[in-house]
Amino acid sequence: MLNGNLEAFWRSRLSKKAPVARIGYALWVTDTTKLKHVIQSGDTHFWNNKGFAYWEFMARSTVVNLATGLERGGFRGTFYK
């Protein structure tokens, strides 16, 4: 997984235009300006003609949905080490 670097992994998947990479990269990017640059300089069709605000929102809502689902499933831990 590129030496455990999830940002680099998802960036590599973006270059292959893997649809799930849009969310993966948005979740693991270390700086939102990088996400904004990748979206603005990328293929608009691949990004579904949606801009930075949409994809940032999708990443945030994914985290909320994961947390909610885990909590409802009885998980009482943390996402962080």
Side-chain angles (χ1 to χ4, degrees):
M1 185 181 347
L2 301 176
N3 296 323
N5 183 337
L6 289 170
E7 179 179 347
F9 170 77
W10 287 112
R11 181 75 171 101
S12 74
R13 300 310 305 149
L14 283 177
S15 68
K16 305 283 188 204
K17 294 193 175 182
V20 72
R22 296 173 295 199
I23 294 295
Y25 188 70
L27 286 170
W28 291 101
V29 69
T30 56
D31 182 351
T32 55
T33 58
K34 291 179 186 179
L35 177 61
K36 187 179 285 189
H37 173 73
V38 167
I39 292 168
Q40 290 174 343
S41 64
D43 176 4
T44 57
H45 180 70
F46 173 69
W47 291 98
N48 288 340
N49 299 309
K50 308 281 189 211
F52 168 76
Y54 173 83
W55 290 103
E56 183 184 36
F57 172 77
M58 291 301 290
R60 289 176 190 264
S61 64
T62 298
V63 170
V64 169
N65 288 335
L66 283 169
T68 301
L70 287 170
E71 185 176 292
R72 286 183 182 164
F75 181 76
R76 297 290 178 241
T78 179
F79 287 113
Y80 305 100
K81 290 181 181 180

